Amino acid sequence: MSSQDAQSLSPAAVPIRLTINGTERRLQVEPWTTLLDLLREQEGLTGSKKGCDHGQCGACTVLIDGKRANSCLVLAVVKDGAEITTIEGLGQPGNLHPMQEAFIEHDAFQCGYCTPGQICSAVALVQEGRAHTREEIREYMSGNICRCGAYTNIVDAIEDVLGQSSTLREAAE
Amino acid sequence: MKRFDYVRANDVGEAVAALAASPAARIIAGGTNLVDLMKYDVETPERVIDINRLPLNTIEATESGGLKIGALVSNADLAYDSRIAERYPLLSSALLAGASPQLRNLATTGGNLLQRTRCYYFYDTGTPCNKREPGSGCPAIEGVNRIHAILGTSDQCIATHPSDMCVAMAALDAKVHVIGPGGERTIAFEDFHRLPGDMPEKDTNLQPGDLITAVELPAEDFTAHHSYLKLRDRQSYAFALVSVAAALKIEDGRITQARLALGGVAHKPWRDTEAEAMLKNSTPGVASFSAAAAKVLETARGYGENSFKIDLARRAIVRTLKQAADGTPQSQTDKRIR
């Protein structure tokens, strides 16, 4: 945050501490600032997208303390102390997360606007361990809308990563 | 979003004191509905009290053999809790029929009870709405009302309560634990939400300064015969047009205990104890299920676009009771209705 931005905050701003993509950040936030706006506007992490801004599309999905959540419906101030992971924290060019690799491999997007939310959600879906079939992947991804309709390839990508992780689990047993 | 004072309560006492000091304040827990409404200026609280630090996020056994669910337990944690999934599968199923995985991670038990209607006019501050602005009128009655109520309506409001969780809790005969300026008390689920009448601005019978602390499930569970069937415009991540929670006990081919509640049809989760009484001692089958459905819908009234709900509800009740009786509850991932 630049000093100019800090000065433009209202006196109602309160100090909070967030761990964002592994880095501890001490921040001043106005209570009406959503986590999504904080990430995008104050922290410059524009990977998380503002689609509907009303919890209906999932483009803003991030991981809060490891769980997927719509960051547009979360006031940042209530998450004081939380660990936030955004798409930027999952992987970077040259060092992609397996889910990012799978989305590329399966061409699981067209315009790409919903993709960061889809990938954060899909990473959580794998960690939750409740989806085992294509039907279940679709159900547990229903909170992420893709207006281009890349759903078939999104399910392919997730199925691929699920297969890899179950293979890994079997190998470890 | 309008600006507001933010107060963080560190324990129940602080929250109750903060509410007593400003009864018009709004409590924030998960925020999934409140923040949404604040973005539309439907809710414009001057003060928001954050209760996320309160120790209300556990599920504990009660002395009477039931479970007490803290108000801050998330919808996801509740649905997947092994005790809930094993003993109250109807509740798990209803929770998993609602919203999306992301929203279920945020949304809380107490907040789900207090979520507001998704009536288009309630959300649109450019139109009148008796619930949002008492006395301004209800354009839904003669307007766009495909999603609106068919039971218990008034000439001032035909909004529905949108929850799935609450429909199961109504069927399970839950109790709501509340703490307010006068101390602690419990409210029977039936008495928690209210019909619109001439005060549609009031969704519940909570009093100013009340804070929900828990929902208690009685010991009586329905593990063998239950089903939650939710019918909607798309198969996931949509509010119910009609939903039905059914729970039965069947001994020697006769129903010995019946619970029946509907969602998406009224201003509150619509439990019908008279229909339950008709089912009791009957033989499970289309005849008794149809009679119960007819009883539930005896006073149903359509408003045009939503008139289809009457027949839809009739058939949904029969189907859900059949699923419950057969021991084949509706799957919330395999959407085929059998």
Side-chain angles (χ1 to χ4, degrees), chain A residues 147-170:
Chain A
R147 284 285 89 135
C148 301
Y151 295 112
T152 306
N153 293 3
I154 291 169
V155 174
D156 286 347
I158 297 170
E159 197 178 24
D160 195 349
V161 175
L162 268 179
Q164 290 170 25
S165 66
S166 60
T167 308
L168 289 173
R169 270 202 303 275
E170 281 163 19

Side-chain angles (χ1 to χ4, degrees), chain B residues 3 37 52 57 59 73 76 96 101 113 120 135 145 150 158 174 195 202 209 212 224 241-242 263 269 284 306 318 326:
Chain B
R3 298 182 171 203
L37 291 167
N52 284 287
N57 58 354
I59 302 172
V73 174
L96 295 176
L113 285 166
Y120 319 117
N145 56 33
I150 53 171
I158 60 169
L195 291 176
K202 270 178 72 74
I212 299 169
L241 292 166
V242 170
N306 73 345
V318 173
D326 291 349

Side-chain angles (χ1 to χ4, degrees), chain A residues 31-32 53-56 61 67-68 70 72-73 75 77-78 80 121 130 135 139-140 142-144, chain B residues 3-4 6 8 28 32 35-36 39-40 50 53 77 80 100-103 105-106 236-237 332 335-336:
Chain A
W32 44 87
D53 209 23
H54 289 283
Q56 297 178 8
T61 302
K67 293 179 177 177
R68 49 178 157 162
N70 307 74
C72 76
L73 291 182
L75 296 180
V77 69
V78 312
D80 187 8
S121 198
R130 297 190 182 99
E135 204 163 48
E139 170 61 20
Y140 292 120
S142 72
N144 293 83
Chain B
R3 298 182 171 203
F4 55 84
Y6 171 77
R8 185 180 292 168
I28 190 163
T32 52
V35 173
D36 189 31
K39 289 184 181 190
Y40 283 116
D50 178 1
R53 272 14 182 214
D77 285 349
Y80 295 118
S100 68
Q102 291 98 310
L103 289 167
N105 280 339
L106 291 169
S236 186
Y237 200 16
Q332 304 304 348
K335 305 292 177 159
R336 277 162 290 195

Side-chain angles (χ1 to χ4, degrees), chain A residues 2 6 11-12 23 35 39-40 50 61 68 79 86 93 96 108 120 126 129 136 147 149 153 155 160 170 173:
Chain A
S2 72
T23 303
L35 179 60
L39 291 168
R40 290 181 54 86
K50 184 177 283 196
T61 302
R68 49 178 157 162
K79 292 298 173 189
T86 68
L96 295 179
C120 284
V126 173
E136 288 167 347
R147 284 285 89 135
N153 293 3
V155 174
D160 195 349
E170 281 163 19
E173 279 166 6

Side-chain angles (χ1 to χ4, degrees), chain B residues 174-228:
Chain B
K175 278 187 289 200
V176 183
H177 288 249
V178 168
I179 185 166
E184 296 180 43
R185 66 185 197 284
T186 59
I187 304 172
F189 211 84
E190 178 67 21
D191 300 327
F192 184 82
H193 297 98
R194 58 185 298 284
L195 291 176
D198 58 4
M199 274 199 298
E201 68 275 19
K202 270 178 72 74
D203 291 353
T204 72
N205 287 313
L206 287 178
Q207 299 301 310
D210 278 347
L211 177 74
I212 299 169
T213 55
V215 173
E216 183 180 338
L217 299 176
E220 182 151 50
D221 49 29
F222 295 84
T223 52
H225 298 287
H226 64 88
S227 186
Y228 186 75

Side-chain angles (χ1 to χ4, degrees), chain B residues 12-296:
Chain B
V12 172
E14 275 187 30
V16 171
L19 260 182
S22 47
R26 285 286 181 265
I27 295 284
I28 190 163
T32 52
N33 191 209
L34 180 64
V35 173
D36 189 31
L37 291 167
M38 287 167 71
K39 289 184 181 190
Y40 283 116
D41 288 343
V42 174
E43 290 278 4
T44 54
E46 291 186 0
R47 175 164 294 175
V48 171
I49 302 167
D50 178 1
I51 60 164
N52 284 287
R53 272 14 182 214
L54 272 49
L56 301 175
N57 58 354
T58 58
I59 302 172
E60 287 164 10
T62 63
E63 284 180 11
S64 55
L67 290 176
K68 194 172 170 185
I69 304 157
L72 290 174
V73 174
S74 74
N75 288 180
D77 285 349
L78 183 58
Y80 295 118
D81 182 89
S82 59
R83 295 161 293 177
I84 297 290
E86 283 162 25
R87 289 189 53 199
Y88 306 96
L90 178 67
L91 178 56
S92 282
S93 184
L95 282 157
L96 295 176
S100 68
Q102 291 98 310
L103 289 167
R104 293 195 291 265
N105 280 339
L106 291 169
T108 63
T109 303
N112 194 319
L113 285 166
L114 294 181
Q115 65 174 310
R116 313 293 313 268
T117 185
R118 265 52 174 202
C119 171
Y120 319 117
Y121 300 99
F122 175 70
Y123 258 81
D124 182 354
T125 56
T127 65
C129 168
N130 286 326
K131 183 179 280 299
R132 181 166 31 76
E133 277 179 62
S136 62
C138 175
I141 290 173
E142 294 186 350
V144 179
N145 56 33
R146 174 177 163 75
I147 64 170
H148 288 74
I150 53 171
L151 287 164
T153 55
S154 78
D155 59 4
Q156 299 211 12
C157 181
I158 60 169
T160 59
H161 193 263
S163 173
D164 294 297
M165 180 192 85
C166 290
V167 181
M169 284 180 172
L172 292 169
D173 210 17
K175 278 187 289 200
V176 183
H177 288 249
V178 168
I179 185 166
E184 296 180 43
R185 66 185 197 284
T186 59
I187 304 172
F189 211 84
E190 178 67 21
D191 300 327
F192 184 82
H193 297 98
R194 58 185 298 284
L195 291 176
D198 58 4
M199 274 199 298
E201 68 275 19
K202 270 178 72 74
D203 291 353
T204 72
N205 287 313
L206 287 178
Q207 299 301 310
D210 278 347
L211 177 74
I212 299 169
T213 55
V215 173
E216 183 180 338
L217 299 176
E220 182 151 50
D221 49 29
F222 295 84
T223 52
H225 298 287
H226 64 88
S227 186
Y228 186 75
L229 177 62
K230 179 177 182 180
L231 302 172
R232 42 190 154 170
D233 280 332
R234 66 180 179 198
Q235 289 189 323
S236 186
Y237 200 16
F239 290 98
L241 292 166
V242 170
S243 71
V244 182
L248 302 171
K249 288 200 173 151
I250 301 174
E251 286 167 33
D252 301 328
R254 295 193 86 74
I255 295 170
T256 58
Q257 175 85 270
R259 299 284 177 77
L260 187 60
L262 274 69
V265 295
H267 197 258
K268 61 185 287 187
W270 190 266
R271 182 177 169 194
D272 191 323
T273 51
E274 288 182 38
E276 291 173 2
M278 285 172 61
L279 286 164
K280 192 171 176 176
N281 297 322
S282 75
T283 307
V286 171
S288 60
F289 300 160
S290 298
K295 178 71 200 162
V296 172

Side-chain angles (χ1 to χ4, degrees), chain B residues 296-326:
Chain B
V296 172
L297 296 161
E298 208 172 46
T299 59
R301 173 186 170 186
Y303 289 84
E305 288 187 357
N306 73 345
S307 299
F308 76 100
K309 282 192 180 188
I310 299 173
D311 199 39
L312 187 67
R314 192 186 317 279
R315 285 181 279 122
I317 292 168
V318 173
R319 182 65 69 97
T320 314
L321 284 166
K322 184 175 187 315
Q323 290 177 331
D326 291 349

